[in-house]
Amino acid sequence: MAIQWRPRQAAGQATAELLRQQDYRIFIPQRVEFGSRSQDDTIKIAPQKGTVGFKTAAASSFDVVAVGSGFTTMLEVKAPRAHLQKQESTTSFTLLSKFDGVILRRNGNRFWARLWENPNDREQFEAEFDVSELYGSEEKIAQEGTPIVWTIGYAIERGTRKRQSILYVRRVPPVSDEEVLTSGRAVKEKMDRIRWKKE
Amino acid sequence: MEEGVAPDRDCVEVSLFGPGYGECIVVHLGFGDWIVVDSCIQPDSGDPVALAYLQAIGVDSSRIALVAASHWDDDHIRGISEVFRRATNAQFVCSSAMASREFEAVLSQWRPKSTIPGGSGLDELDRVTDILAKRAADTKYPTPECARAGLVLWERQKPIPAEVRALSPSHAADLAAIAGLAGVRDSDRGERRRLPHIEGNHTSVVMSVRVGTASVLLGADLQVRADRNLGWYAVVDRTKNNTRHEAYKIPHHGSANADDNEIWDRLLIKEPLTMLTPFCRAGVLLPTCNDAERILARSMRSYLTAPATKKRYRTRDYVVQKTIDEIALESYAIPNGFGHVRLRKEPNGNNWEVCCFGTALSLEQFVRQHCRRRKAKK
């Protein structure tokens, strides 16, 4: 049975991309068999024009599947199965302190924030920062009311320990239209019920 | 609370509470009638200070006749919903901006964002309106009222006449505040963040409290504006010359933008008794030494609930401390001291008795201890 492969270069590029993105090491199986499956346990892959799919999660014994346009044949990998093993990182971070906070005031390239380790702590503090201290390109989204996080700790890279401070904006999902609508209805209903004394 | 002695039945008492950030006034109008203006949290217990104080001196919260939110700034409103919830016989008073459609719109937009840590004054007002809506169906609860200049908020004829009158906001101030709310509403792009500060000082409810011969002016955070329809000039222009007050809660933490000679000359007696709370937020510290000296030039009988000073924030970890000091351009611990200035006057007495508790001190003492030292350092 003929197996149709996508041009080698394209498939190779996609695999390399996948490997790079996920930082995985793939162990190549020792024995590989090709062939169509019997009717009861066939995994049908719908033809997808011009795409290559990789089934990397080992939910079944079919660990790697190539899909091309106009063919339904699959690649079956037999034991030893293909394993995806996470590569050990060479960097780590030891947290010493983490402060949550909120921006109180922004004044050009500087901002004031109130910070705390625990919201119920009596010991809170306020600090002024230069916006360049913010991680990445978060300068624009840092405005009054924005929640922030400040972590202080040690970054350990290839055995070398370095003190590190990371100040970043806490990413919170935006309020959905539905949430605003629901809230608007509840507030309106509530405010309409209140009888203010007339003049 | 250390000061757990209730005033005599006919004694007028004005208590001003203030940690480094926050303000609350509790007034005994005599004969068991109490009012609460604004609210702040007692740092030790986390309870609203008005309730903690009344409980400490054995007064039931049902004796509170009026709960007033002078304006919506965070430092004046923390815990006010709990005070109002427990004060089952109290009328709620606020500026008409808080009852406006614009306020409703801001509340609708910011309510889903209340999960942002740090809280805001809007959350408190949201809870207050929840209580008002629940109580609206039951006629046993007093109807809430929007304060406006000249309105009598509470009065008693016998045995000693007493009156609480709003001297502000003016109609123009209400309109300006409502416009401010509309600006906040329009600036919202849906991002989940804490409600930004809404300028509300010009819609502050200034109150004149008179019980027999005793008279107190509670200045809230009202500022002086160039337009005479707004701010203190509007109050001064509407007030008759013969209504001068003996005691004065200085507005806006003693800042120069809330002070004017016309206030002292037309609304207060000569050398009045004055009191104020400090303010420490986002690098702004009030009163400054210049403010303190300016107030002392008007009255030596001035008292402050806590010294307005910034203290260095200290952590136990040396490395964390070093990093904070290196990264932050400036940092300081939120002052968590707590002070209470108490004024009492007997019905037939001529003088007020002043007591300071906790971190409270006279303004003169503050200048002596802190300002002169700072000047010497410089």
Side-chain angles (χ1 to χ4, degrees):
Chain A
M1 188 176 193
I3 299 172
Q4 295 177 19
W5 292 101
R6 291 181 59 80
R8 182 178 270 179
Q9 200 182 0
Q13 274 174 351
T15 312
E17 184 61 29
L18 184 78
L19 292 177
R20 203 162 39 244
Q21 279 173 2
Q22 298 193 349
D23 196 18
Y24 284 116
R25 185 181 301 163
I26 292 187
F27 291 93
I28 307 298
Q30 290 172 359
R31 190 159 63 90
V32 176
E33 281 184 8
F34 302 110
S36 59
R37 302 286 301 180
S38 64
Q39 229 174 354
D40 1 328
D41 61 348
T42 299
I43 292 180
K44 287 180 180 166
I45 311 287
Q48 291 174 41
K49 206 173 176 183
T51 59
V52 174
F54 293 92
K55 190 175 178 205
T56 51
S60 72
S61 61
F62 304 94
D63 286 323
V64 181
V65 177
V67 190
S69 55
F71 68 92
T72 54
T73 317
M74 67 194 69
L75 169 69
E76 185 183 351
V77 178
K78 286 202 168 178
R81 293 173 57 194
H83 292 286
L84 298 176
Q85 190 185 46
K86 202 162 188 180
Q87 207 164 21
E88 271 183 35
S89 175
T90 54
T91 59
S92 65
F93 184 77
T94 308
L95 184 72
L96 290 177
S97 216
K98 182 179 175 183
F99 300 100
D100 274 293
V102 68
I103 295 179
L104 300 174
R105 184 157 59 93
R106 174 148 183 191
N107 190 8
N109 286 332
R110 291 177 174 197
F111 67 90
W112 275 96
R114 175 170 287 208
L115 297 143
W116 57 86
E117 280 196 287
N118 181 329
N120 298 323
D121 271 357
R122 279 184 65 184
E123 287 291 320
Q124 298 192 353
F125 69 106
E126 289 181 356
E128 190 185 22
F129 300 95
D130 195 289
V131 283
S132 62
E133 294 294 344
L134 279 168
Y135 188 73
S137 55
E138 292 179 332
E139 294 181 8
K140 282 181 191 165
I141 53 173
Q143 54 178 322
E144 188 187 343
T146 304
I148 57 166
V149 180
W150 189 12
T151 54
I152 295 171
Y154 286 117
I156 302 159
E157 198 171 340
R158 292 188 181 89
T160 310
R161 201 174 72 161
K162 199 169 70 177
R163 196 153 47 89
Q164 198 171 56
S165 150
I166 307 169
L167 187 66
Y168 61 94
V169 169
R170 180 181 283 282
R171 298 304 168 102
V172 196
V175 177
S176 68
D177 291 346
E178 197 184 331
E179 277 179 294
V180 175
L181 271 176
T182 312
S183 155
R185 273 197 294 269
V187 170
K188 187 172 180 350
E189 189 192 331
K190 173 176 78 170
M191 297 299 267
D192 285 348
R193 273 164 57 196
I194 301 172
R195 293 173 293 109
W196 294 94
K197 211 176 213 177
K198 302 281 179 221
E199 287 181 24
Chain B
M1 284 208 176
E2 56 191 311
E3 59 273 30
V5 184
D8 289 341
R9 192 171 152 72
D10 51 0
C11 173
V12 180
E13 180 189 290
V14 183
S15 281
L16 175 68
F17 301 93
Y21 180 74
E23 180 173 310
C24 174
I25 304 164
V26 178
V27 184
H28 180 231
L29 302 159
F31 305 95
D33 293 321
W34 294 81
I35 65 167
V36 176
V37 181
D38 294 337
S39 178
C40 63
I41 298 293
Q42 198 183 14
D44 287 338
S45 63
D47 294 329
V49 67
L51 294 177
Y53 175 63
L54 291 177
Q55 191 184 12
I57 60 171
V59 174
D60 193 87
S61 50
S62 62
R63 297 298 310 185
I64 303 172
L66 193 82
V67 174
S70 72
H71 62 301
W72 52 62
D73 276 359
D74 294 356
D75 60 325
H76 286 255
I77 213 157
R78 290 212 169 144
I80 202 161
S81 59
E82 183 58 18
V83 174
F84 184 53
R85 194 182 65 77
R86 298 266 293 274
T88 47
N89 294 321
Q91 182 187 37
F92 183 76
V93 171
C94 61
S95 78
S96 65
M98 286 191 221
S100 66
R101 288 288 167 198
E102 281 72 15
F103 179 77
E104 187 183 309
V106 170
L107 196 56
S108 302
Q109 277 176 317
W110 253 270
R111 208 184 202 200
K113 303 173 190 178
S114 60
T115 48
I116 297 291
S120 80
L122 195 76
D123 302 336
E124 282 291 343
L125 290 175
D126 191 14
R127 289 191 281 271
V128 168
T129 49
D130 283 342
I131 299 166
L132 287 173
K134 269 184 201 156
R135 290 183 180 178
D138 196 335
T139 50
K140 78 174 181 185
Y141 295 110
T143 312
E145 188 154 33
C146 297
R148 59 179 187 282
L151 183 73
V152 175
L153 301 171
W154 184 91
E155 62 182 332
R156 182 187 66 209
Q157 299 301 329
K158 286 178 183 176
I160 294 174
E163 177 191 276
V164 179
R165 186 185 288 268
L167 302 184
S168 73
S170 62
H171 184 58
D174 270 337
L175 292 178
I178 289 168
L181 286 169
V184 170
R185 185 196 61 199
D186 297 341
S187 72
D188 182 35
R189 294 190 300 277
E191 66 274 66
R192 218 177 273 262
R193 63 184 172 117
R194 190 177 178 272
L195 180 75
H197 177 250
I198 311 170
E199 177 51 61
N201 287 345
H202 48 261
T203 190
S204 284
V205 181
V206 169
M207 290 183 200
S208 165
V209 178
R210 291 178 180 280
V211 184
T213 56
S215 57
V216 185
L217 181 64
L218 306 177
D221 266 4
L222 194 69
Q223 290 173 242
V224 176
R225 303 276 158 159
D227 185 346
R228 291 199 78 92
N229 292 310
L230 299 171
W232 276 105
Y233 290 144
V235 174
V236 169
D237 289 347
R238 287 184 67 101
T239 310
K240 292 173 198 161
N241 281 339
N242 58 356
T243 52
R244 291 174 192 269
H245 300 83
E246 302 168 316
Y248 179 36
K249 198 293 287 179
I250 291 182
H252 205 227
H253 317 281
S255 78
N257 60 18
D259 196 9
D260 192 88
N261 287 341
E262 287 192 43
I263 304 170
W264 296 92
D265 296 341
R266 292 177 60 183
L267 300 177
L268 302 166
I269 62 164
K270 205 176 174 190
E271 279 281 319
L273 197 56
T274 70
M275 52 187 169
L276 68 157
T277 55
F279 176 87
C280 187
R281 189 177 190 265
V284 177
L285 189 64
L286 293 171
T288 62
C289 291
N290 287 343
D291 294 331
E293 280 165 3
R294 192 190 65 248
I295 293 164
L296 284 172
R298 280 292 187 170
S299 171
M300 288 301 284
R301 298 189 301 157
S302 299
Y303 299 87
L304 183 63
T305 56
T309 50
K310 287 177 187 169
K311 281 185 185 161
R312 191 174 174 222
Y313 176 70
R314 287 183 189 279
T315 60
R316 286 185 210 99
D317 192 312
Y318 168 76
V319 179
V320 174
Q321 184 72 58
K322 194 176 168 191
T323 314
I324 291 173
D325 293 345
E326 276 175 14
I327 301 292
L329 301 167
E330 188 188 343
S331 67
Y332 58 85
I334 308 276
N336 56 15
F338 189 75
H340 172 191
V341 177
R342 191 187 71 191
L343 316 181
R344 278 183 177 174
K345 189 178 185 184
E346 299 300 327
N348 300 319
N350 288 323
N351 296 319
W352 288 87
E353 174 205 71
V354 184
C355 288
C356 292
F357 303 98
T359 55
L361 72 172
S362 75
L363 203 58
E364 194 189 359
Q365 203 179 347
F366 167 69
V367 170
R368 208 172 43 238
Q369 288 177 358
H370 300 275
C371 299
R372 293 190 185 149
R373 199 186 300 161
R374 271 182 230 168
K375 275 184 187 170
K377 265 188 187 176
K378 279 181 186 173

